[in-house]
Amino acid sequence: MAGLSPSQLQKFRDDGFLVLEGFLSADECVAMQQRIGEIVAEMDVPLHCRTEFSTQEEEQIRAQGSTEYFLSSGDKIRFFFEKGVFDKKGNFLVPPEKSINKIGHALHAHDPVFRSITHSPKVQAVARSLGLQMPVVIQSMYIFKQPHLGGEVTPHQDATFLYTEPLGRVLGIWLALEDATLENGCLWFIPGSHTGGVSRRMVRAPAGSASGISFLGAEPDRDNSLFVPTPVGRGALVLIHGEVVHKSEQNLSARSRHAYTFHLMDTSGTVWSPENWLQPTAELPFPPLYT
């Protein structure tokens, strides 16, 4: 199975992201969409676990940071919802299947369809061509970007939430299961922004704190003119360096923008921060990518 060409490798090193159109077949996209439909159909989330997902710092601390449902999701398949889809009692205001922001964070470990894509020979070939020696899968998510509801993802770096020493050991694999367009919330990047370190870190707060997470540093104001839109077709793979700044806009269109994404870490000479919200467990250590 072919990996990246020298020109593709150089572009990724220069820009911090890379698009590979046609990486997945139509059948692979359909298989993941059908499987997630089955998972959603079987969804049963207790009222106290109906957590709205947000990328705004204050909302993150209030919602995710105060709930064990989020903080203990690293080795489970759990559901996170868009803002404004519940009433004050936690009842759905929209059809449940239209309310979900994402499902995470261990689809790669617990579901055979997503596990087979995550560990596929072509994903392994890309990782090898990037020089990853001992990569493990850290987390995975299915992102819905619901029509008219799919929330904005504010500018951020993945290493804010998945911090390693040294930096540069985390890689995002973002797979478009539907066309990602300007209208339905495609990704935007600041090319070359992966070389300046990390401006903010989300860490687990000390035991006994009112919130389960806190932030070190602050996200700087970004010049919007630096962002480049990256629309891609169904089946495309987008490689995302852990420090490249990226975002996506709210989906105001009538079309969803489904994607499956997971993160790899090369463990060779790498320390996974014990302050990260996500930690491997005895039941689910980070699984090796190479099989």
Side-chain angles (χ1 to χ4, degrees):
M1 191 67 65
L4 302 181
S5 68
S7 62
Q8 288 172 326
L9 283 168
Q10 190 60 52
K11 185 166 180 58
F12 178 71
R13 292 176 183 134
D14 291 344
D15 293 344
F17 69 97
L18 179 70
V19 173
L20 302 176
E21 291 282 4
F23 186 81
L24 294 179
S25 69
D27 287 346
E28 288 171 320
C29 294
V30 167
M32 283 190 278
Q33 288 184 287
Q34 288 182 340
R35 180 60 191 135
I36 213 69
E38 295 167 356
I39 291 172
V40 170
E42 298 167 358
M43 175 178 67
D44 182 18
V45 183
L47 287 175
H48 70 280
C49 295
R50 295 185 180 181
T51 299
E52 294 180 348
F53 184 76
S54 174
T55 59
Q56 299 286 349
E57 183 168 315
E58 289 184 2
E59 292 178 353
Q60 284 178 327
I61 292 174
R62 185 176 67 250
Q64 287 105 277
S66 62
T67 174
E68 191 63 20
Y69 186 76
F70 169 78
L71 292 173
S72 62
S73 65
D75 59 354
K76 302 173 182 67
I77 297 176
R78 287 190 167 167
F79 304 85
F80 302 91
F81 300 91
E82 294 290 353
K83 291 187 287 185
V85 299
F86 300 121
D87 65 18
K88 292 181 180 180
K89 295 182 179 180
N91 299 309
F92 287 103
L93 295 171
V94 300
E97 68 275 8
K98 298 295 185 183
S99 68
I100 306 172
N101 173 287
K102 70 174 187 177
I103 297 176
H105 289 92
L107 284 162
H108 65 278
H110 295 306
D111 188 88
V113 172
F114 290 95
R115 182 166 58 242
S116 67
I117 294 293
T118 304
H119 294 273
S120 66
K122 54 189 172 185
V123 168
Q124 294 186 37
V126 168
R128 286 193 170 94
S129 66
L130 284 166
L132 276 63
Q133 298 178 34
M134 299 171 59
V136 295
V137 186
I138 302 169
Q139 65 165 5
S140 56
M141 299 176 284
Y142 192 102
I143 303 170
F144 291 80
K145 207 72 164 180
Q146 301 281 4
H148 308 297
L149 285 171
E152 169 194 20
V153 177
T154 55
H156 67 283
Q157 301 166 286
D158 291 345
T160 288
F161 311 98
L162 309 171
Y163 188 81
T164 63
E165 293 182 356
L167 286 168
R169 301 304 177 90
V170 169
L171 174 72
I173 305 285
W174 193 95
L175 298 165
L177 305 185
E178 296 178 318
D179 292 346
T181 67
L182 289 172
E183 292 74 29
N184 71 0
C186 69
L187 298 173
W188 294 64
F189 293 91
I190 299 181
S193 57
H194 60 300
T195 61
V198 173
S199 56
R200 185 176 67 128
R201 285 181 58 195
M202 186 175 87
V203 298
R204 279 188 178 256
S209 300
S211 171
I213 60 172
S214 61
F215 284 88
L216 306 176
E219 200 70 43
D221 290 332
R222 310 280 187 187
D223 182 349
N224 272 330
S225 67
L226 298 176
F227 284 91
V228 174
T230 312
V232 298
R234 184 188 197 192
L237 180 153
V238 184
L239 290 175
I240 304 175
H241 190 285
E243 292 151 74
V244 72
V245 178
H246 57 291
K247 66 175 184 175
S248 66
E249 303 293 345
Q250 184 178 1
N251 182 7
L252 299 176
S253 79
R255 297 179 59 190
S256 58
R257 192 222 66 188
H258 288 199
Y260 173 59
T261 182
F262 56 94
H263 286 88
L264 305 176
M265 175 183 65
D266 193 351
T267 60
S268 178
T270 306
V271 176
W272 178 254
S273 174
E275 295 180 315
N276 285 338
W277 76 269
L278 173 64
Q279 296 295 325
T281 64
E283 294 77 17
L284 184 62
F286 294 149
L289 175 69
Y290 300 147
T291 55

